[in-house]
Amino acid sequence: MTVLGSTILEQANRTDRSVSALITQLETTLFNEDNRLFCSSDMDEVQQTVGDIFKPHRLKIRDRREQGIASMHHVRQGALSLNRLQYQHEVVIDPDRLNDFFLVHIPMNGSSTIRCGNHRFLSTPHNASLVSPTLPLEIEWEAGSADIILRIERARLDTHCAQHLGMQQLEKPLEFHPDLALETPAGQYFLKLVSMLADNMQSPYPQLREPIVFEQFESTLFNALLYGQPHNLCMKAPVTNIAPFYIKRVEDYIQHHTADSMTIESLAAIAGVSARTLFAGFQRYRGLSPMDYLRQVRLDRVREMLLSEHSAHLSVTEIAMHWGFNHMGRFAIDYKKRFGESPSASRRFGPGH
């Protein structure tokens, strides 16, 4: 596993929330009457609407004598959408191949039998499924089971993956192992990111609406899958030396564009190397990741403003948000760790105070 993958797992180990608590949060914070597409016993209508959101598919009801109801909620942001789908019937869904998107199915209750490629397994609230667009899919949906479904546009994830491999485009399709265990450290971390996305989608003041924040979040979510879930492409960092000027080029860019939106992928494009190579280079020569370096520079900028008389009219929150810090609790912790005092203390004992 790469250093980036290890970093993700280290973050996951700090996640102490249970799978069941996170799944409950997804339903209580996001899905409501405003984003419900249907609640219907008309299975033709259900099949049509679900097909419009995902793709046309064959829908087989095990026992048509039952008067079951299906319901669906749908919320989208950028290349990501979160959906809640429930069938009171026992049904079989056969979309063949998804083609244009990846799907993560997270059962909230009950279970489904998943056939994806050559794999057949039981998906439960503790064991989700990650379906790749090029693999044939069939789902035997247990009656009454409700699933949270994350849709990820294939083009975005493929481009992101290619950047990490140092390619213009993937030479073969990205295919994940479909059995996604949610109680592993990597699974817990991924579920936490899904929960963060759900929180943001329902918030009246969504932090992820800002491009600088959403790009970083999307990159983190994709990396959690690429480095946390087995797949058919090698993400291992190559054994190679990086010329120091690549590191310096990125450092100079960060110093002069600190407030701009950046991800490790965009920085790799500036450096002229792959994202995995840039990440390995920063770890080797600087002992931290490119995004950690960016965070440190932004913290330095915050401190400069807190100590400056010219920004005395701005609050600590306003200054922090100006430099891309949207989570005030985490910001305060990082600031104190770097400078040995709280942001408010810097402001209180700065010039003129």
Side-chain angles (χ1 to χ4, degrees):
M1 180 173 287
T2 66
V3 178
L4 177 57
S6 299
T7 301
I8 287 174
L9 291 182
E10 288 170 6
Q11 291 174 311
N13 286 330
R14 296 197 292 268
T15 304
D16 58 2
R17 304 177 67 185
S18 69
V19 173
S20 59
L22 289 173
I23 290 176
T24 300
Q25 182 190 15
L26 287 174
E27 178 159 74
T28 57
T29 63
L30 180 61
F31 300 115
N32 53 52
E33 292 296 321
D34 293 337
N35 51 54
R36 189 171 70 182
L37 298 181
F38 61 78
C39 181
S40 175
S41 60
D42 185 341
M43 289 299 107
D44 291 333
E45 175 192 0
V46 169
Q47 184 176 4
Q48 178 65 46
T49 307
V50 174
D52 290 341
I53 296 296
F54 298 120
K55 67 163 292 188
H57 58 280
R58 290 182 288 276
L59 178 65
K60 179 180 179 182
I61 301 172
R62 290 293 195 189
D63 189 349
R64 287 190 172 272
R65 294 172 299 178
E66 298 179 358
Q67 285 295 109
I69 295 176
S71 63
M72 183 177 185
H73 298 75
H74 171 76
V75 185
R76 177 168 182 159
Q77 183 170 356
L80 308 174
S81 76
L82 279 174
N83 308 270
R84 182 190 185 276
L85 182 59
Q86 182 173 24
Y87 293 92
Q88 287 189 0
H89 294 94
E90 181 180 352
V91 300
V92 178
I93 302 171
D94 180 8
D96 191 22
R97 289 168 175 82
L98 302 178
N99 298 325
D100 298 326
F101 54 91
F102 294 82
L103 280 187
V104 180
H105 280 250
I106 307 172
M108 297 183 61
N109 60 280
S111 63
S112 298
T113 300
I114 307 294
R115 292 185 179 87
C116 182
N118 296 322
H119 299 276
R120 184 178 186 274
F121 61 97
L122 190 67
S123 182
T124 70
H126 301 288
N127 198 67
S129 59
L130 172 50
V131 181
S132 302
T134 54
L135 298 177
L137 170 67
E138 184 181 83
I139 304 173
E140 295 181 21
W141 199 294
E142 182 180 277
S145 178
D147 279 21
I148 300 295
I149 305 174
L150 171 65
R151 170 176 168 150
I152 303 171
E153 297 305 319
R154 178 183 181 181
R156 285 289 299 119
L157 185 51
D158 280 359
T159 298
H160 183 92
C161 184
Q163 289 176 319
H164 276 246
L165 294 172
M167 303 175 178
Q168 291 294 322
Q169 60 184 22
L170 297 180
E171 296 176 350
K172 61 180 179 179
L174 171 62
E175 294 179 349
F176 288 95
H177 190 287
D179 196 339
L180 176 58
L182 295 177
E183 292 190 317
T184 64
Q188 284 266 307
Y189 181 57
F190 171 73
L191 200 58
K192 180 181 179 181
L193 293 174
V194 175
S195 179
M196 289 173 60
L197 179 63
D199 280 344
N200 181 80
M201 285 178 165
Q202 63 84 36
S203 171
Y205 306 104
Q207 297 175 348
L208 298 185
R209 183 174 294 170
E210 298 297 327
I212 188 174
V213 181
F214 186 72
E215 285 186 29
Q216 292 177 8
F217 173 83
E218 187 182 66
S219 175
T220 301
L221 179 70
F222 291 168
N223 288 339
L225 292 177
L226 290 175
Y227 293 96
Q229 180 69 4
H231 54 79
N232 64 329
L233 302 180
C234 180
M235 301 300 293
K236 185 177 181 180
V239 180
T240 182
N241 291 326
I242 296 181
F245 76 86
Y246 289 134
I247 306 301
K248 182 62 176 173
R249 180 183 298 172
V250 170
E251 288 176 334
D252 287 344
Y253 182 85
I254 288 174
Q255 289 288 345
H256 290 92
H257 301 83
T258 310
D260 292 356
S261 173
M262 292 180 227
T263 66
I264 189 173
E265 295 77 31
S266 65
L267 292 175
I270 291 165
V273 296
S274 69
R276 58 176 177 167
T277 302
L278 180 64
F279 194 96
F282 259 84
Q283 288 289 344
R284 176 175 181 177
Y285 290 101
R286 298 294 186 260
L288 75 175
S289 73
M291 301 311 291
D292 286 336
Y293 178 79
L294 172 61
R295 187 178 301 109
Q296 289 188 2
V297 173
R298 286 178 173 165
L299 286 170
D300 292 343
R301 296 290 191 271
V302 170
R303 183 172 177 80
E304 291 170 5
M305 291 187 70
L306 289 175
L307 297 175
S308 172
E309 295 181 359
H310 299 294
S311 56
H313 63 289
L314 298 174
S315 68
V316 172
T317 298
E318 288 172 327
I319 293 173
M321 295 188 69
H322 174 77
W323 292 108
F325 296 101
N326 289 275
H327 192 296
M328 292 301 105
R330 175 64 185 274
F331 159 71
I333 292 172
D334 289 346
Y335 187 95
K336 187 170 184 178
K337 183 177 179 181
R338 182 159 176 78
F339 302 113
E341 63 183 17
S342 67
S344 58
S346 295
R347 163 59 59 82
R348 189 162 55 247
F349 299 113
H353 295 272

